[in-house]
């Protein structure tokens, strides 16, 4: 059994928990989807820090430029950056996936003010923690972001690649397929068209292209170093656990909203 297969086998219980999470069955109307997006958008945003960190490690973005080597991984990362930062939306307009997600939020009347204030604070030089305090960001969301930044700041490319691969690229198709199939969004393209496009685009890219290649990237970064493979597994498990905590938090928020709505009728 290859090291990659061994890791995926050990991650299977956590992946199954994500795939069967009760969150998906709670997404029954537009208000539920809006709550989900208002909280999930922070994960859409912080994904780019993982990707950009990998780009910094695996390519050369310094000036004057010098060759870095590792052309295959460099090409892979640069292709993902192109897709994430300048993909075509459902109208053929180039924009980042983060911006597509904001468009989808606006379509379902989700509140984008919190993520907007947060990102603006980061742009103005605030730390993650200071920006989070400005918007009273809920603890599970902040902890999810802090884990991402902890991995990024480790300066260990194999750990960053692990969080990127096993916590995002390799697991996103499963999660998003559940959202599409169980949330009723597929029945109302006019209301959820932008979200459906975003989800289906990620299922297509991550499942068919990015996911399989990212596994090869992990293998190349680890080589035969047992310590690195151990750290990859630990990082992957932590990434999935923080995703589960985020999913638990969003589920609780939706259920509380539904309870209030019933009480007020």
């Amino acid at each position: 059994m290859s090291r990659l297969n061994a890791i995926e086998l050990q991650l299977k219980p956590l992946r199954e928990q994500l795939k069967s999470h009760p969150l998906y069955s709670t997404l029954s109307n537009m208000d539920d989807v809006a709550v989900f997006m208002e909280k999930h958008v922070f994960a859409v945003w912080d994904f780019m820090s993982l990707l950009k960190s990998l780009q910094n490690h695996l390519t050369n973005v310094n000036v004057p430029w010098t060759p870095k080597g590792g052309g295959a991984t460099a090409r892979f990362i640069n292709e993902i950056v192109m897709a994430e930062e300048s993909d075509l939306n459902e109208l053929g307009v180039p924009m980042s996936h983060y911006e597509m997600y904001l468009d989808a939020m606006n379509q379902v009347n989700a509140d984008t003010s919190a993520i907007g204030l947060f990102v603006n604070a980061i742009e103005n030089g605030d730390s993650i923690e200071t920006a989070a305090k400005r918007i009273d960001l809920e603890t599970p969301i902040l902890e999810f972001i802090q884990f991402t930044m902890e991995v990024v700041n480790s300066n260990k490319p194999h750990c960053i690649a692990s969080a990127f691969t096993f916590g995002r690229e390799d697991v996103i198709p499963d999660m998003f397929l559940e959202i599409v199939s169980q949330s009723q969004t597929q029945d109302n393209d006019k209301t959820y068209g932008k979200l459906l496009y975003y989800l289906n685009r990620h299922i297509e890219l991550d499942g068919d292209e990015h996911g399989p290649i990212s596994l090869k990237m992990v293998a190349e970064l680890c080589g035969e170093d047992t310590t690195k493979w151990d750290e990859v597994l630990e990082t992957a498990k932590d990434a999935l656990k923080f995703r589960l905590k985020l999913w638990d938090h969003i589920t609780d928020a939706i259920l509380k909203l539904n309870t209030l709505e019933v009480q007020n009728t």
Side-chain angles (χ1 to χ4, degrees):
M1 180 183 296
S2 73
R3 292 182 185 267
L4 282 173
N5 288 338
I7 286 178
E8 295 208 309
L9 184 62
Q10 292 186 68
L11 296 179
K12 188 175 180 179
L14 289 170
R15 289 191 59 162
E16 287 299 321
Q17 287 183 53
L18 273 175
K19 188 174 181 180
S20 61
H21 197 280
L23 168 65
Y24 312 122
S25 61
T26 67
L27 298 172
S28 59
N29 57 55
M30 189 187 304
D31 290 340
D32 298 337
V33 173
V35 172
F36 167 80
M37 298 185 76
E38 288 164 8
K39 301 180 187 304
H40 176 245
V41 66
F42 288 89
V44 176
W45 169 80
D46 90 330
F47 166 80
M48 289 303 299
S49 291
L50 284 173
L51 177 56
K52 284 297 187 178
S53 180
L54 281 173
Q55 188 179 36
N56 288 338
H57 281 286
L58 303 179
T59 71
N60 193 342
V61 296
N62 296 320
V63 176
W65 178 87
T66 54
K68 187 83 170 184
T73 52
R75 180 181 178 88
F76 165 63
I77 289 301
N78 285 333
E79 285 180 351
I80 295 184
V81 169
M82 183 180 72
E84 292 291 337
E85 284 194 310
S86 57
D87 202 5
L88 299 178
N89 72 358
E90 77 283 0
L91 300 176
V93 178
M95 63 172 59
S96 69
H97 284 186
Y98 169 74
E99 292 167 314
M100 287 185 198
Y101 201 86
L102 292 181
D103 269 359
M105 289 179 70
N106 288 326
Q107 188 179 43
V108 302
N109 294 318
D111 187 355
T112 61
S113 61
I115 185 64
L117 290 170
F118 179 83
V119 172
N120 286 339
I122 298 295
E123 288 177 339
N124 290 329
D126 280 355
S127 66
I128 296 290
E129 289 71 22
T130 300
K133 287 180 180 178
R134 292 184 184 277
I135 62 170
D136 294 323
L137 187 63
E138 296 106 321
T139 299
I141 301 175
L142 176 58
E143 289 177 345
F144 185 94
I145 296 172
Q146 287 174 325
F147 168 74
T148 299
M149 299 312 300
E150 179 183 326
V151 174
V152 166
N153 293 331
S154 74
N155 284 320
K156 295 181 177 181
H158 59 285
C159 290
I160 301 167
S162 176
F164 177 86
T165 299
F166 298 108
R168 306 294 179 112
E169 297 296 279
D170 200 39
V171 77
I172 278 176
D174 286 345
M175 294 188 302
F176 283 1
L177 278 169
E178 293 301 322
I179 293 172
V180 169
S181 65
Q182 297 193 38
S183 69
Q184 294 186 8
T185 57
Q186 69 272 30
D187 297 326
N188 197 338
D189 286 355
K190 292 183 178 179
T191 304
Y192 300 102
K194 290 180 180 292
L195 176 60
L196 275 175
Y197 180 86
Y198 172 89
L199 295 175
N200 285 320
R201 184 66 175 142
H202 269 277
I203 292 168
E204 174 188 359
L205 287 174
D206 299 335
D208 297 339
E209 300 176 29
H210 297 169
I213 301 176
S214 66
L215 291 170
K216 295 180 181 178
M217 173 182 62
V218 171
E220 288 184 13
L221 290 173
C222 290
E224 298 301 320
D225 191 320
T226 300
T227 299
K228 287 183 177 179
W229 280 108
D230 289 343
E231 290 178 339
V232 161
L233 176 59
E234 181 181 356
T235 302
K237 285 181 176 179
D238 287 342
L240 294 177
K241 288 174 182 177
F242 276 103
R243 174 73 69 169
L244 282 166
K245 288 181 180 179
L246 179 62
W247 262 208
D248 289 343
H249 173 66
I250 298 175
T251 302
D252 289 343
I254 293 172
L255 292 176
K256 287 177 182 177
L257 174 67
N258 291 339
T259 299
L260 287 175
E261 289 177 347
V262 170
Q263 290 175 349
N264 293 330
T265 57

